[in-house]
Amino acid sequence: MTKDTEQTRQSPDSLITLLDAADRLPGAGELRAHSYDLLGVGPGRTAVDVGCGAGRAVAELAERGVKAIGVDPSERMIAVSRGRWPEADFRIAEAYELPLADASVDGYRADKVFHELAEPERALGEARRVLGSGGRIVLLGQDWDTIVIDSDEPDLTRTIVHARADLTAGPRAARQYRNLLLDTGFDDVTVEVHTGVFTGPAVLPLLAGLAQAVRLTGAVTNEQTDTWIADQRTRAESDRLFLALPMFVAAATAPR
């Protein structure tokens, strides 16, 4: 559920496992495809996927005939991406300093990235630099304070959700997408919310990762963590698990 671009709180391999699990969730593929449609880049056009992780979006854009470039600050992420899709273009780089010339791309995409940026305005300034006139930008991500999980211990669940949010540089970045894009001078800004509702065991690795990350901070005890994860596992086995995850999708156009 996260690409750590500034705060290394999990190993790259753990993050890849979580990202792969998130990519397999119901509706995830459709949401990615929708983001590509919002980019509006067709065959022969160029797009950069910032914080590309293990590279799935780059590969899927390439299947559409797009000249896709994936950038990520993690050497391990890029190594895995190159191993999975050796024909694709992957580069090690930060969101603040993209290895691209001015006005050299038609599309800019960042999925589950901006909540990890301490200076989102700076990253959007870099997006403006590399996007050509009329180029499109698409940002996707969850608001970390609005993860909804049913539990017999709502107070503990609230603690886990908010403590996990506090581990990110900008847990509420997604709700700020519109204003950030407007403040950076983008035009035609739109925002959508796509809420995924999950009731099965496929999300258990994500829920367990949420609680285990918080346990490391000391916000909850080992016993509380184990009990909470066990409760979610029991709920999944009895078809009583409930997770609602709103995903914010913002799109805009670079000034002509």
Side-chain angles (χ1 to χ4, degrees):
M1 296 172 74
T2 177
K3 297 182 180 77
D4 279 58
T5 57
E6 290 188 341
Q7 298 171 325
T8 306
R9 301 188 181 279
Q10 294 174 285
S11 71
D13 287 339
S14 295
L15 286 172
I16 289 167
T17 298
L18 286 175
L19 290 170
D20 285 344
D23 283 344
R24 291 191 296 267
L25 290 177
E30 291 80 0
L31 188 59
R32 288 196 308 275
H34 181 54
S35 75
Y36 309 151
D37 292 339
L38 288 172
L39 274 180
V41 290
R45 306 296 291 275
T46 302
V48 59
D49 190 52
V50 177
C52 66
R56 186 180 304 275
V58 173
E60 290 177 344
L61 283 167
E63 290 174 357
R64 293 178 170 224
V66 178
K67 296 178 182 178
I69 302 163
V71 302
D72 199 285
S74 168
E75 293 184 13
R76 175 58 179 160
M77 288 286 193
I78 294 299
V80 170
S81 298
R82 289 170 176 166
R84 291 181 177 183
W85 293 285
E87 302 302 317
D89 185 353
F90 294 105
R91 310 177 191 181
I92 300 170
E94 299 277 353
Y96 303 133
E97 297 181 6
L98 298 175
L100 301 168
D102 294 357
S104 60
V105 301
D106 305 295
Y108 174 109
R109 180 181 182 275
D111 183 0
K112 297 186 283 292
V113 171
F114 269 62
H115 66 269
E116 291 291 354
L117 299 179
E119 301 176 86
E121 301 89 349
R122 182 182 167 197
L124 287 178
E126 184 69 347
R128 279 283 306 271
R129 182 186 70 80
V130 301
L131 275 170
S133 174
R136 294 282 288 169
I137 180 171
V138 176
L139 307 177
L140 302 90
Q142 69 268 29
D143 185 302
W144 284 79
D145 275 343
T146 56
I147 300 174
V148 181
I149 305 167
D150 191 21
S151 169
D152 290 334
E153 298 187 75
D155 291 341
L156 175 58
T157 301
R158 187 180 302 112
T159 296
I160 290 172
V161 169
H162 290 168
R164 180 61 185 89
D166 289 342
L167 290 177
T168 68
R172 289 164 290 281
R175 71 179 71 173
Q176 299 169 342
Y177 284 163
R178 182 176 185 273
N179 288 340
L180 286 167
L181 289 164
L182 289 171
D183 290 344
T184 314
F186 283 94
D187 298 327
D188 308 319
V189 180
T190 62
V191 180
E192 308 170 3
V193 182
H194 298 256
T195 302
V197 175
F198 308 102
T199 59
V203 296
L204 280 174
L206 304 180
L207 292 175
L210 199 75
Q212 289 164 355
V214 172
R215 168 165 49 187
L216 295 176
T217 71
V220 296
T221 66
N222 289 340
E223 181 180 359
Q224 286 175 315
T225 303
D226 293 341
T227 299
W228 190 85
I229 293 173
D231 174 57
Q232 294 301 317
R233 183 175 295 109
T234 298
R235 284 172 171 270
E237 292 169 352
S238 60
D239 194 26
R240 293 297 183 271
L241 184 146
F242 183 89
L243 165 67
L245 183 65
M247 292 293 292
F248 292 71
V249 184
T253 304
R256 296 182 183 276

